[in-house]
Amino acid sequence: MDATIGAELADQVARALSGVADVATLRALEAGAFPDAAWSALDGLGLATALVPEAQGGAGLGLADVVPLLEALGHAGAPVPLAEGIGAAALLAAAGIAPPDGVLTFAAAGAPVPWGRHAAHVALVDGARVALHAAGSLRWTEAANIAREPRDTPAPAGVPIAEGTLPNVWGHDAARALTAVIRSAQIAGALQAALALAVEHARTRKQFGRPIGAFQAVQQQLAVFAAEASAASVAAAAAARAADARGLAEAAFEIGCAKVAGGEAAAKGAAVAHQVLAAMGITEEHALHHLTRRLWSWREEGGSERFWAARIGTIVQGAQGPLWGFLTSRDQEPAA
Amino acid sequence: MTTLRFDLRDPPPGAAVLRAEVRAFLAGHAPGWTPEVRARSWMGFDRDFSRAVGARGWIGMCWPKHYGGAERSFLERNIVLEEMLAAGAPVGAHWIGDRQSGPLILRLGTEAQREKFLPRIASGDFAFCIGLSEPDSGSDLASLRTRADRVDGGWKLNGRKIWTTFGHLCDWMIALVRTSPAPEGGSKHQGLSQVLVDLKAPGVTIRPIRDLVGEQGFNEITFDDVLLPEDALVGQEGAGWAQATSELAFERSGPDRYLSSHPLLEAGRDALREDAAAAPALGREVARLWTLRAMSTAVAGMLQDGADPVRQAALVKDLGNDFEQALPGAMRALMDTDAMPEEMRRMHAYLTQITPTFSLRGGTREIMRGIIARELGLR
């Protein structure tokens, strides 16, 4: 991977969203409106096939390249299903299916489908089998997570448009693992946005004759928040590198570590942000809760901290020799 | 507000070979280490072991060969440090010289100082300690009062340093002292200098301070008209504050800031291998360790590139200290102490008592978070 590619993609996304996606967009989305302007702005960038191999018409990038882009989406509260589209296109291409244009999403069979009601197509992943359905051909039961993001369940699917099988390196839990990487990166981005709101408030809100950020009790809490946000970001990037190097299945350990780091950071960061923004941050009109409710939602999706910690625990319980030897055996040593 | 960058790094070429060499070396020494020695980590002092490490070329390994170094990369050195700490090796006799004193002398010392000290640090023969804290100066370090006054042929040192780890076992100290009064109305950071002090010199009195474990971990060292030669000065007179703080990224981001309790986690994993109910809690600790290692290695890579990630280092130290400090409690939540295997129980007992120091040494938790808060624009 090349770090400048990641930074450029993130910058593209941030620029495309500025002016077409704000708190009002998230509010409208949560009330059921698809953000057409934001979608058009991003769709025109051609990022949906970022992970599709060049031979199949994509950009041939790796997960590590798109982590900064996913963070930028998270920073904006993920107003459009671009992350879902990127993931779905990667899964479809890996299964030998050409990803269709338009709003595209994916989920593990049986799991709620992010943005299902707004999608044109959906990739449902059952073990190693990937099935592409026209969303309109499915009967949807609409539901939402606590961020009021659409999380809809299709009735047992009819005849898919296309079907394929994932290569072994994707494993039998690819939809969950890919969702975990995506949500880990989005959490890292949303944490940065929430931290910026909290810091800005601490610098401007005055009590006892000075900004509340002048009080060490407030400074120390925000420092903890910043450290957690950095940990979440580093972990997401490191997990993506592992997935690029070994495939999703063999990177379950690293992906789990990142999801645990992100989930824990989400909890701590949201708590500090609300403490600093006090009653204002709880109000419907304030921007903060659009971020914190997403943090609390995204930590559940693609496996919770508990789910992944249990899996990591089982892996290290079964590892031969010292734990340290297992950890270092995961290092990506470049070929000599 | 800016976001602190952490650029991830792959291991250097040959990492696996180097790791295997260090592991084979450690396997030869490990049978002699009690659970308490392993739990002591870099607070374990064993000169014979340090000389053996030096003989392998693993002290000062980034320094020029001319000064006893091995001209290896900073990331290669990081591998050696990780392996030593993960095994609970008693590295205390060379840790400070390798981490701080040697690099300082290499960077700012005179040619004569380099020739005199570096080869003997690298061989494990010279043990160094750091003279920073004083009875009335802890976190407010620049308020220190130990003075070195110019006299014929050198300096005369008076004052007192405290909490000096292994002061009674070390040969040399690099002390931060006042060499001229802080200017009227100016910063108290001015007028400080770093000096080399021979701990066997007349006028040096070392008083042991027993710690809560009952061991002589640290000391109070009094200087009573101690004569220092002209060449005791390290670097520039009056630039001591900038010199002492410029290497904080090296001091604060290393594996010694999250691996201090690691042998206990190894013992816990071994004891809980068959316990399915323990998997989530065990996995949580491992996930945290993995994340910290990625962050610490990223900082090592940035140091290798010549960056000065001093704020990233403060952040990693704070997170790392929290982790290594909480580990005995995490293990205790998984197993009653009387059910722990003896080796694990003894490490747990030792670490329970000593972990409070983890967020004190090298700068307190509050100071680290203050540095992060400044980065956020709050101070």
Side-chain angles (χ1 to χ4, degrees):
Chain A
M1 60 159 280
D2 173 357
T4 59
I5 293 177
E8 278 170 24
L9 294 180
D11 195 45
Q12 275 186 35
V13 165
R15 270 186 285 126
L17 286 177
S18 74
V20 293
D22 55 12
V23 178
T25 316
L26 296 178
R27 202 172 286 136
L29 165 67
E30 292 181 18
F34 186 77
D36 291 306
W39 176 253
S40 308
L42 276 189
D43 198 32
L45 298 177
L47 297 171
T49 53
L51 298 178
V52 173
E54 285 176 294
Q56 290 171 269
L61 298 176
L63 268 173
D65 296 313
V66 301
V67 159
L69 173 167
L70 297 169
E71 284 194 31
L73 279 172
H75 194 278
V80 290
L82 177 61
E84 287 76 7
I86 289 174
L91 287 161
L92 289 168
I97 305 168
D101 292 336
V103 178
L104 177 63
T105 184
F106 75 95
V113 180
W115 300 78
R117 77 192 71 164
H118 299 296
H121 293 91
V122 52
L124 296 177
V125 186
D126 191 356
R129 295 291 290 167
V130 180
L132 176 65
H133 293 268
S137 73
L138 301 171
R139 202 154 33 79
W140 292 94
T141 303
E142 297 189 355
N145 61 22
I146 60 171
R148 290 174 221 135
E149 295 178 301
R151 297 294 185 258
D152 307 323
T153 305
V159 183
I161 297 171
E163 279 188 284
T165 303
L166 292 169
N168 285 339
V169 291
W170 288 70
H172 285 257
D173 205 7
R176 189 194 334 248
L178 190 53
T179 302
V181 175
I182 290 170
R183 294 291 182 256
S184 297
Q186 287 182 314
I187 283 172
L191 282 169
Q192 289 298 340
L195 177 63
L197 286 178
V199 167
E200 180 57 23
H201 183 73
R203 294 175 64 174
T204 49
R205 167 74 173 172
K206 285 190 179 162
Q207 289 290 279
F208 306 103
R210 48 185 177 147
I212 60 170
F215 293 95
Q216 290 194 0
V218 176
Q219 290 176 4
Q220 301 258 312
Q221 288 190 62
L222 287 167
V224 170
F225 185 170
E228 288 290 332
S230 289
S233 179
V234 171
R241 282 162 73 99
D244 287 338
R246 287 198 297 270
L248 279 178
E250 286 300 312
F253 173 79
E254 287 82 2
I255 291 169
C257 289
K259 197 64 174 33
V260 170
E264 290 192 357
K268 287 184 197 165
V272 172
H274 277 297
Q275 187 67 23
V276 170
L277 281 145
M280 268 173 246
I282 300 294
T283 61
E284 187 175 35
E285 67 188 60
H286 200 281
L288 179 64
H289 68 86
H290 294 289
L291 294 165
T292 52
R293 285 184 295 112
R294 278 164 178 73
L295 289 170
W296 292 318
S297 297
W298 294 344
R299 66 179 175 166
E300 307 295 348
E301 298 176 356
S304 67
E305 301 93 280
R306 212 202 97 81
F307 172 87
W308 283 109
R311 199 136 156 196
I312 294 163
T314 306
I315 291 171
V316 299
Q317 281 174 327
Q320 301 257 314
L323 168 63
W324 182 253
F326 169 76
L327 276 179
T328 54
S329 75
R330 313 288 302 178
D331 290 349
Q332 312 288 332
E333 191 163 352
Chain B
M1 192 192 83
T2 54
T3 304
L4 288 174
R5 282 179 61 95
F6 287 85
D7 300 321
L8 293 173
R9 293 297 287 254
D10 288 323
V17 173
L18 178 57
R19 255 185 223 293
E21 285 173 12
V22 180
R23 279 180 198 169
F25 168 81
L26 290 170
H29 288 81
W33 299 333
T34 64
E36 286 78 13
V37 166
R38 295 180 62 213
R40 232 171 261 152
S41 187
W42 49 290
M43 290 291 150
F45 194 102
D46 180 342
R47 263 187 203 267
D48 290 338
F49 176 73
S50 287
R51 288 195 179 102
V53 175
R56 295 300 302 261
W58 292 332
I59 305 176
M61 59 190 282
C62 305
W63 309 344
K65 287 182 178 162
H66 176 70
Y67 301 122
E71 300 182 7
R72 306 290 289 263
S73 73
F74 198 75
L75 285 167
E76 289 177 299
R77 173 177 173 269
N78 201 51
I79 287 169
V80 174
L81 301 189
E82 282 186 333
E83 291 297 327
M84 296 271 168
L85 294 171
V91 292
H94 68 267
W95 198 254
I96 303 300
D98 176 72
R99 185 182 76 185
Q100 266 160 288
S101 316
L104 179 77
I105 292 168
L106 178 64
R107 196 163 58 93
L108 298 169
T110 63
E111 193 52 38
Q113 285 170 337
R114 292 174 182 164
E115 300 278 1
K116 175 176 178 183
F117 291 104
L118 295 180
R120 280 183 265 187
I121 293 174
S123 65
D125 288 311
F126 272 177
F128 270 73
C129 59
I130 305 170
L132 294 175
S133 293
E134 298 187 3
D136 294 325
S137 302
S139 287
D140 182 12
L141 180 61
S143 69
L144 62 84
R145 293 203 299 254
T146 298
R147 275 175 28 224
D149 298 315
R150 281 240 178 240
V151 293
D152 250 5
W155 309 80
K156 193 168 69 183
L157 184 66
N158 280 287
R160 191 171 296 184
K161 292 290 178 184
I162 198 167
W163 318 130
T164 319
T165 309
F166 306 131
H168 60 303
L169 300 173
C170 285
D171 311 291
W172 292 89
M173 168 190 281
I174 293 183
L176 184 66
V177 302
R178 186 157 287 292
T179 45
S180 61
E184 194 81 22
S187 165
K188 63 188 175 187
H189 299 128
Q190 295 176 35
L192 299 173
S193 303
Q194 287 180 295
V195 290
L196 281 153
V197 184
D198 180 351
L199 294 172
K200 309 285 189 301
V204 176
T205 309
I206 302 179
R207 185 181 72 84
I209 302 173
R210 299 199 83 79
D211 62 28
L212 78 177
V213 188
E215 294 175 346
Q216 185 183 347
F218 40 39
N219 303 268
E220 181 181 62
I221 304 188
T222 308
F223 308 110
D224 192 7
D225 283 341
V226 177
L227 285 172
L228 304 180
E230 192 70 48
D231 65 0
L233 181 72
V234 183
Q236 209 183 325
E237 185 179 343
W241 183 262
Q243 290 176 196
T245 53
S246 69
E247 300 229 336
L248 288 176
F250 291 88
E251 183 190 342
R252 287 178 174 161
S253 64
D256 42 344
R257 302 306 178 182
Y258 67 92
L259 283 178
S260 306
S261 301
H262 185 77
L264 178 64
L265 182 58
E266 292 280 350
R269 195 287 306 249
D270 288 349
L272 293 161
R273 262 185 190 280
E274 308 298 329
D275 184 351
L282 202 54
R284 187 270 166 193
E285 297 307 314
V286 173
R288 199 72 183 167
L289 169 61
W290 176 87
T291 303
L292 285 162
R293 181 163 178 257
M295 298 181 90
S296 177
T297 307
V299 178
M302 292 160 81
L303 288 168
Q304 176 159 314
D305 293 343
D308 182 23
V310 65
R311 294 151 310 169
Q312 285 89 338
L315 191 153
V316 175
K317 179 179 185 299
D318 188 39
L319 285 178
N321 288 164
D322 277 359
F323 168 75
E324 59 182 16
Q325 196 165 58
L327 204 56
M331 290 301 110
R332 183 169 170 274
L334 284 170
M335 266 188 124
D336 283 341
T337 46
D338 58 9
M340 292 177 181
E342 190 200 335
E343 183 179 50
M344 181 181 179
R345 187 168 66 246
R346 283 167 63 183
M347 288 198 279
H348 180 271
Y350 184 87
L351 282 164
T352 296
Q353 300 170 77
I354 214 69
T355 45
T357 63
F358 294 177
S359 55
L360 303 174
R361 61 191 187 189
T364 64
R365 165 178 297 132
E366 288 74 17
I367 294 288
M368 293 310 110
R369 293 184 181 170
I371 292 169
I372 302 166
R374 179 167 291 125
E375 176 68 16
L376 294 174
L378 295 169
R379 311 179 54 196

